[in-house]
Amino acid sequence: MDSFLVCRLRAKEENEIVSLIDQHALHERIRLEELWKGMLAVFDCIILSVLILKRALGIRDGHGWLRPGLVIPSLQVELPVDLLFQVSQFEEQFLRLGLQFSLNEKAMSVTHVPFVLKDKHLRDLDRNSLRNDISVFVQEAIQIFTEASAVAPIVPPIIMDWVATAACRGAIMFGDKIPEAEVGQFLTAGQRTSLPFQCAHGRPSMLPVAVLLPPSERCQVR
């Protein structure tokens, strides 16, 4: 039972609800939002051109841009000619997503990638794997740029998926116990997240099991 916390929750004037909280799932959500804050490079000054790009990327006001990570030496990523042409049309948008490069007739020479991609490959230092991820990232990003709809994702799925995976790997494991003195702080951190009822992958983090009636409505035991 160390994997769950039993809590009494109250929503405004409603009755209290006894819920089981999956501590791994809630910690995953906490870590997800902390990781995103570290991946974003927030600009203090917002000018008109930035606002236009935000709308094109589906990024709401108040969100930052993806922080870039330096690639040494630069990485050559070969792409089809038609895709290279599309890339050339969206250089500013890619810059806001942390991808910096120069183009030639056959490839893009990448000098910076979104920090989250660099972080993903720090341990294995597999440049071929990074090259493949950049290719996927570029294709997903172009799809976002060309759709430019109100429901478009903020960043390409490959980025979102890896951040969710990192959040999961660093969360408290099943069977581990949170020290009793830290439970209150843990629940408060979860309450402050944007979606405390979902883990990083969208699964529920808590399950209501009973509704507690007000004392006046409870049966009196004599």
Side-chain angles (χ1 to χ4, degrees):
M1 193 64 181
D2 288 340
S3 296
F4 296 88
L5 299 172
V6 181
C7 299
R8 294 168 60 173
L9 307 177
R10 180 189 295 275
K12 296 183 178 179
E13 301 302 323
E14 300 295 328
N15 295 332
E16 288 186 325
I17 300 174
V18 177
S19 296
L20 290 179
I21 296 180
D22 183 331
Q23 60 187 26
H24 171 82
L26 183 58
H27 193 205
E28 196 176 275
R29 165 57 57 177
I30 295 169
R31 280 184 46 79
L32 177 73
E33 300 196 7
E34 289 176 345
L35 287 171
W36 269 121
K37 290 177 182 177
M39 298 299 173
L40 295 176
V42 180
F43 288 82
D44 293 328
C45 299
I46 301 178
I47 57 176
L48 181 60
S49 61
V50 173
L51 289 173
I52 294 173
L53 285 170
K54 276 189 172 184
R55 295 191 183 99
L57 291 171
I59 299 177
R60 298 183 298 275
D61 290 347
H63 286 267
W65 308 111
L66 292 185
R67 183 157 58 98
L70 180 63
V71 178
I72 301 177
S74 60
L75 191 63
Q76 299 297 309
V77 181
E78 294 187 0
L79 297 172
V81 175
D82 59 334
L83 190 56
L84 283 172
F85 174 76
Q86 288 182 295
V87 169
S88 69
Q89 304 303 301
F90 294 109
E91 287 194 51
E92 288 296 326
Q93 286 91 331
F94 276 116
L95 179 64
R96 299 307 189 272
L97 288 182
L99 189 68
Q100 299 179 29
F101 54 86
S102 59
L103 296 173
N104 57 46
E105 294 181 355
K106 296 183 178 180
M108 57 192 306
S109 179
V110 179
T111 59
H112 295 75
V113 297
F115 186 81
V116 60
L117 281 187
K118 182 177 180 180
D119 182 66
K120 176 182 178 181
H121 294 281
L122 274 180
R123 293 184 180 179
D124 53 29
L125 297 177
D126 185 348
R127 289 173 66 84
N128 285 330
S129 180
L130 176 57
R131 184 180 288 108
N132 291 336
D133 276 357
I134 292 172
S135 179
V136 172
F137 172 81
V138 166
Q139 294 177 64
E140 291 180 346
I142 286 178
Q143 183 175 358
I144 292 173
F145 300 154
T146 53
E147 289 178 355
S149 67
V151 295
I154 294 176
V155 294
I158 189 173
I159 300 293
M160 301 173 72
D161 290 345
W162 176 249
V163 176
T165 297
C168 178
R169 290 179 177 177
I172 185 171
M173 292 293 102
F174 295 103
D176 291 344
K177 187 174 183 179
I178 299 177
E180 187 174 346
E182 299 177 11
V183 170
Q185 183 179 1
F186 174 74
L187 293 175
T188 298
Q191 185 180 18
R192 290 173 177 169
T193 63
S194 59
L195 290 172
F197 303 106
Q198 288 185 3
C199 75
H201 299 90
R203 294 186 290 271
S205 61
M206 58 185 69
L207 175 68
V209 293
V211 176
L212 298 180
L213 296 175
S216 59
E217 298 181 22
R218 297 174 189 171
C219 296
Q220 299 296 323
V221 179
R222 297 182 180 179

